[in-house]
Amino acid sequence: MDKIKIKGGRRLEGKIYISGAKNAALPLICASLLTKDTVTLTNMPMLSDIASMNALLRQLGTQIDEFNDFVDGHPSKTYSYRTAEASSLTAPYDYVRKMRASYYVLGPLLARYGHVEVSLPGGCAIGARPMDIHLSALEQMGAKIEIKNGYIIADAPDKLQGAHIAFHTASVGATCNIMMAAALACGTTIIENAAKEPEIADLAELLNAMGAQISGQGTSTITIEGVSALSGARHKVIPDRIEAGSYAVAAAITRGKIELINAQMQTLQNPMQILRDAGVKVSETPNGILVDAINAKLSGQDIMTDYYPGFPTDLQAQFLALMLTAEGASMVTETIWENRFMHVPELMRMGANINVHGHASAIVRGVKKLSGAQVMATDLRASFALVLAGLAAEGETIVNRVYHLDRGYEKLEEKLKGVGADIERIKEADELAAE
Ligand code: UD1
């Protein structure tokens, strides 16, 4: 398996281009299943999660064409998706196991074909990941759902019917799935306590361009008037706010200065305010966001994850790593996932001072220095937190299990090298040759 080798202690300075958002792109790809026409997505990030979703759609009978493109002067991918007729209505375990966002095929296929079978995703490193909200909402829309042999088997032979649905939790995945299902249902669907994440507004924008009638996206009440058919559209994926927030921490943790090209301040208000409160200069530029921590003396900050527009759980590990280099104590509280401090024991191996209380909170005390070590993480964002600690640490850090990073950070080494990091990927083959 590939590894990342970092020699820490360098101040990072320059510009990093922020790619299209993974968590926007995944449901957008699945929205293409709602029509027989072509849906073209531009500004697509080159990530293994996108490749996994594309493989699943090909298996369902979607024809996918891939183009090398330039968006805002930067290379990216454009994909065209055409599902004239699905050749399968099953998302098998082997696909769902690799990427749980495979559940996004549930809503679109059920709405278009009246039948779908999706393997249940099961738990994962950050905790149990239930699907009760997705399934209960589909049942309220008239679907018959059965769990058999590890699969969700859903039927709606007489079409899904609009319904008034109140989610018990503002789930991102369920909001996307039900918006897609309701777009082709009979009548009006209202989702109360919908998630408000920017990726949801992006999906609504594509669906509306395809002919859907959705309003209220970005608020906690979304209304969807079902239509009988949707057509093709072309759509540009929004910039990745989590990637932007991660590189903002790279600037802060190395006391450097990075302009995050294309990053959108309005989607990052809460984490950028925490950086400011900690002592980092953060400003909006004509091209994105400038994060300037040169000569900054950082002070510890309390952080609590929350639903958007609160502090994103997907930036918790990165900000926790930053707080190790701040003066004083910080309390980091995780409210979304029950098991999201797996980066802590690895950071301790680098000299961190962290006390985890139960599953939900950690007290982080700033340390004089971190020192490089061999580390590995069990999820994507935790892996990036280890890269960040490695950038700030004295000596060499080797981050194992790089496949997690490849799921969500496009051209990670290239981007960090471009701002002065001493970072390289050790390919498995090189490693074997060296042994
Ligand atoms: C998405 C993101 C993930 C992020 C998460 C929260 C994608 C591909 N992934 O995941 O990176 O960490 O939002 O911002 O976009 N829940 C239930 N029942 C359900 C569904 C969810 O109880 O049926 C709970 C979950 O256990 C969790 C909370 O709701 O505590 C939020 O989960 P959800 O927003 O659904 O996360 P995902 O969409 O899976």
Side-chain angles (χ1 to χ4, degrees), residues 76-96:
S76 75
K77 289 273 180 206
T78 288
Y79 291 101
S80 285
Y81 298 86
R82 186 162 174 272
T83 314
E85 210 53 76
S87 54
S88 159
L89 296 176
T90 302
Y93 177 65
D94 270 351
Y95 291 86
V96 182

Side-chain angles (χ1 to χ4, degrees), residues 82-315:
R82 186 162 174 272
T83 314
E85 210 53 76
S87 54
S88 159
L89 296 176
T90 302
Y93 177 65
D94 270 351
Y95 291 86
V96 182
R97 166 176 77 78
K98 278 196 203 124
M99 193 197 32
R100 60 194 43 258
S102 308
Y103 58 53
Y104 279 137
V105 305
L106 183 63
L109 289 178
L110 184 60
R112 181 165 163 197
Y113 290 103
H115 179 79
V116 64
E117 302 190 12
V118 179
S119 172
L120 268 168
C124 78
I126 60 177
R129 296 189 71 159
M131 289 203 58
D132 58 304
I133 303 173
H134 305 238
L135 302 186
S136 150
L138 291 171
E139 278 175 340
Q140 290 172 65
M141 296 174 76
K144 295 270 171 292
I145 293 175
E146 195 189 354
I147 308 289
K148 205 168 150 191
N149 305 123
Y151 278 75
I152 301 162
I153 302 172
D155 282 289
D158 302 323
K159 285 199 90 171
L160 291 169
Q161 306 295 317
H164 194 145
I165 301 160
F167 288 172
H168 67 68
T169 302
S171 157
V172 174
T175 305
C176 290
N177 236 338
I178 301 311
M179 256 178 15
M180 291 191 277
L184 280 186
C186 287
T188 305
T189 300
I190 298 173
I191 307 174
E192 306 269 14
N193 196 22
K196 296 187 283 222
E197 272 68 0
E199 293 74 22
I200 285 155
D202 203 37
L203 174 62
E205 193 179 304
L206 169 67
L207 292 170
N208 282 342
M210 292 165 69
Q213 305 264 333
I214 302 176
S215 59
Q217 61 273 18
T219 76
S220 55
T221 305
I222 301 179
T223 304
I224 307 119
E225 312 274 354
V227 296
S228 56
L230 294 169
S231 54
R234 189 180 174 90
H235 178 82
K236 181 178 161 191
V237 180
I238 53 168
D240 194 317
R241 65 195 166 97
I242 303 300
E243 189 197 25
S246 303
Y247 287 120
V249 176
I253 205 167
T254 63
R255 305 301 188 265
K257 182 175 172 180
I258 300 178
E259 188 178 11
L260 307 163
I261 306 297
N262 256 11
Q264 296 176 323
M265 185 67 100
Q266 74 271 22
T267 64
L268 283 160
Q269 293 290 3
N270 189 305
M272 291 304 118
Q273 190 54 43
I274 287 183
L275 283 184
R276 285 193 191 104
D277 293 346
V280 179
K281 288 185 206 140
V282 180
S283 54
E284 219 169 339
T285 67
N287 298 319
I289 299 175
L290 180 67
V291 180
D292 178 356
I294 295 199
N295 295 328
K297 274 209 176 4
L298 299 200
S299 62
Q301 300 297 315
D302 291 348
I303 297 167
M304 187 185 286
T305 64
D306 203 351
Y307 300 97
Y308 189 83
F311 186 91
T313 172
D314 289 350
L315 285 176

Side-chain angles (χ1 to χ4, degrees), residues 360-390:
S361 47
I363 301 285
V364 182
R365 291 188 173 84
V367 288
K368 289 225 158 43
K369 67 176 173 87
L370 293 167
S371 60
Q374 283 246 23
V375 285
M376 64 179 176
T378 40
D379 81 77
L380 163 61
R381 308 303 170 185
S383 296
F384 197 87
L386 299 178
V387 169
L388 290 167

Side-chain angles (χ1 to χ4, degrees), residues 5 12 14 28 77 91 125 135 139 163 203-204 252 263 271 275 293 319 325 348 352 373 397:
K5 183 164 94 183
L12 303 187
L28 292 172
K77 289 273 180 206
L135 302 186
E139 278 175 340
L203 174 62
L275 283 184
F319 273 66
T325 70
M348 306 268 272
T397 295

Side-chain angles (χ1 to χ4, degrees), residues 6 246-247 249-250 253 313-325 340-344 346-347 350 352 354 370 375-393 397 399 404-405 409 412 416:
I6 301 162
S246 303
Y247 287 120
V249 176
I253 205 167
T313 172
D314 289 350
L315 285 176
Q316 180 258 101
Q318 300 88 318
F319 273 66
L320 184 148
L322 175 63
M323 290 306 144
L324 290 168
T325 70
R340 211 171 192 183
F341 284 121
M342 275 98 51
H343 37 293
V344 167
E346 296 298 302
L347 290 169
M350 299 178 73
I354 307 168
L370 293 167
V375 285
M376 64 179 176
T378 40
D379 81 77
L380 163 61
R381 308 303 170 185
S383 296
F384 197 87
L386 299 178
V387 169
L388 290 167
L391 291 170
T397 295
V399 182
H404 286 302
L405 292 165
Y409 290 94
L412 170 96
L416 283 170

